[in-house]
Amino acid sequence: MNNVRGIGDVVESRMPDGMVDVKDGDTKHTTVIHDSSSEAVQTLYGDSIRAADGRPFAQLADGAEVTHNGMMFSVCEIDGVGRIVLFAPKNLRDFRGILIQCNGYMQAATSMLTDKILEPLKPIMETHGLVGVAYVHGGRGGAKPIINQGRWGIGRLQREVVQHMKQLLPLLQKNFAQESGQSNTPPPIVLMGHSQGAQTVAHMLRDPIAYGIAPGQIRGATLINSVALPYSQAMLRTPGLITNIVRKNLKDVVGSLWSGEGLLFRGEQAFDTFLAEGDPRGLSERRLTSNTYPAEAMYFVQTLTTGTSPRLDPALVRGMPISLVTSHDDQLMGAYAQKMTYDHIAKSDADVIWEVIPGRHFSPIVTIVDEPVDRVLEIMMANTAAFEHAFQGL
């Protein structure tokens, strides 16, 4: 892994769609122009690979780079972890902290690298000198994504995340020391997660030392449509969850548990489960629903029955700025689960704010087809408030 700030000379990109020839001295190169961040980061993927069941899985190309709208993105291969995406503002002058994004169930490392997240995040990253790491477990996006984790429960899943963080963080901290000259001072860390990824963030808040994070190193966190805290079973109180999602997918869940192969939803099944708004034929919707990866059926069952969420320790999060972003009509984490999560964080003595936005489970992230501009702006304003609050302690 090279110097974190050296994400590279990358392909410049701006709206609208097309390609432009740019002359730099005597050198002529082609600038690729993208409509959105999610479209730009899609270029980080190389040729698809095929797993044993014949399904294609998109593979991040090691060393791939792209720039879009003032943000740089670069793929890095980390021994023992797999492929991650580093991202930072192009105008970043000093490396002063690390943002770790934890992505959700069946999702890729790039699922939160969208305009709704990055537009509000860019000025905050510039101000605080943040380099971002888009992380996901299960080898997703690498040459060999794990496809036989159907029987993984929450313990096995988090053990893998622990192993990955203990491999990844020393490399990031080494780069921080080289950049800042502060060899004895670990960089501050802020966390962000969506859905299952937000629950992983909560596990890291609950026991940071287990993940290789020093006491006091975490300065804030944003939980976006999180699996409910501290009792994940609260999602059972979400109207329609059992009839519209669990019952329809029960055969696949049982099949995954029986075979040990990972649970995988694609196409219409993924659209109905995760998005449930927009249009299955929409470009952003298809990117998300056609680039899913196998996930843990046992974890899914545990989430609904015995629970997979941690209870936060007030001694570790007291006064910590934590932001909660939830959606009015989240079909997975309904109003009861969202309120319980907020109450638990508040009772843990964290400095919490709660932003409620329109839409469903992915509305804080994905811009759906024909989404009204005023709704997009409302969501981005809420994300801005959440990120500013969560990262104020840097």
Side-chain angles (χ1 to χ4, degrees), residues 234-246 328-338 360:
M235 63 189 292
L236 286 170
R237 297 277 293 269
T238 301
L241 177 72
I242 297 297
T243 54
N244 295 335
I245 295 175
V246 175
H328 279 299
D329 195 25
D330 191 331
Q331 75 279 16
L332 297 175
M333 309 299 160
Y336 177 81
Q338 295 174 16
R360 313 209 83 180

Side-chain angles (χ1 to χ4, degrees), residues 19 25 35 79 118 130-131 159 182 207 227 255 354:
M19 299 182 74
D35 283 332
D79 290 342
L118 294 174
L130 291 176
V131 170
R159 283 196 296 273
Q182 302 179 48
D207 190 4
V227 174
W354 185 10

Side-chain angles (χ1 to χ4, degrees), residues 1 7 27 34 61 68 103 134 166 181 210 240 270 320 354 373 378:
M1 176 178 166
I7 295 179
T27 303
H34 300 290
H68 174 72
N103 291 274
K166 287 183 173 180
M320 180 184 293
W354 185 10
V373 172
E378 179 182 350

Side-chain angles (χ1 to χ4, degrees), residues 27-41:
T27 303
K28 184 178 180 181
H29 61 273
T30 300
T31 297
V32 181
I33 302 172
H34 300 290
D35 283 332
S36 66
S37 297
S38 57
E39 179 183 317
V41 298

Side-chain angles (χ1 to χ4, degrees), residues 292-305:
T292 52
Y293 292 82
E296 306 79 17
M298 179 63 76
Y299 161 86
F300 177 82
V301 173
Q302 285 181 318
T303 297
L304 296 178
T305 55

Side-chain angles (χ1 to χ4, degrees), residues 117-384:
I117 298 292
L118 294 174
E119 287 291 331
L121 197 54
K122 183 174 66 173
I124 298 170
M125 294 181 73
E126 289 175 344
T127 298
H128 294 293
L130 291 176
V131 170
V133 180
Y135 164 79
V136 68
H137 71 279
R140 300 173 194 171
K144 296 180 180 179
I146 297 173
I147 61 170
N148 61 347
Q149 74 274 52
R151 299 193 186 110
W152 287 20
I154 184 62
R156 177 65 182 85
L157 189 158
Q158 287 305 319
R159 283 196 296 273
E160 184 187 63
V161 178
V162 164
Q163 172 196 336
H164 287 173
M165 288 298 127
K166 287 183 173 180
Q167 295 286 114
L168 175 60
L169 287 175
L171 294 173
L172 294 169
Q173 291 174 173
K174 179 180 178 181
N175 276 273
F176 170 78
Q178 291 172 348
E179 287 291 327
S180 66
Q182 302 179 48
S183 58
N184 297 320
T185 304
I189 291 173
V190 289
L191 304 171
M192 175 187 296
H194 173 254
S195 193
Q196 182 197 39
Q199 185 189 57
T200 291
V201 166
H203 279 281
M204 296 169 78
L205 293 173
R206 175 64 180 85
D207 190 4
I209 292 175
Y211 292 82
I213 302 172
Q217 193 175 2
I218 298 176
R219 305 294 176 82
T222 302
L223 309 182
I224 303 173
N225 283 353
S226 177
V227 174
L229 304 178
Y231 306 112
S232 62
Q233 308 96 303
M235 63 189 292
L236 286 170
R237 297 277 293 269
T238 301
L241 177 72
I242 297 297
T243 54
N244 295 335
I245 295 175
V246 175
R247 186 175 295 171
K248 288 181 179 179
N249 297 310
L250 188 59
K251 180 179 178 181
D252 291 313
V253 173
V254 172
S256 177
L257 289 170
W258 178 263
S259 68
E261 295 298 311
L263 181 64
L264 179 64
F265 298 160
R266 283 274 173 90
E268 183 178 347
Q269 188 179 28
F271 178 86
D272 291 343
T273 302
F274 299 131
L275 281 168
E277 65 174 340
D279 188 329
R281 299 164 296 180
L283 188 58
S284 295
E285 293 91 330
R286 283 191 286 110
R287 282 197 190 104
L288 189 141
T289 59
S290 63
N291 287 308
T292 52
Y293 292 82
E296 306 79 17
M298 179 63 76
Y299 161 86
F300 177 82
V301 173
Q302 285 181 318
T303 297
L304 296 178
T305 55
T306 60
T308 53
S309 291
R311 179 177 289 277
L312 299 180
D313 182 351
L316 295 175
V317 300
R318 184 171 290 113
M320 180 184 293
I322 297 177
S323 298
L324 188 65
V325 178
T326 67
S327 302
H328 279 299
D329 195 25
D330 191 331
Q331 75 279 16
L332 297 175
M333 309 299 160
Y336 177 81
Q338 295 174 16
K339 179 65 163 57
M340 189 178 71
T341 299
Y342 171 77
D343 288 344
H344 175 66
I345 297 172
K347 289 175 183 176
S348 299
D349 293 333
D351 177 11
V352 60
I353 67 166
W354 185 10
E355 298 287 339
V356 183
I357 64 169
R360 313 209 83 180
H361 192 61
F362 269 87
S363 67
I365 298 173
V366 175
T367 303
I368 61 173
V369 66
D370 295 330
E371 185 170 7
V373 172
D374 57 350
R375 191 181 105 153
V376 174
L377 293 176
E378 179 182 350
I379 291 169
M380 291 175 72
M381 288 177 63
N383 283 345
T384 298

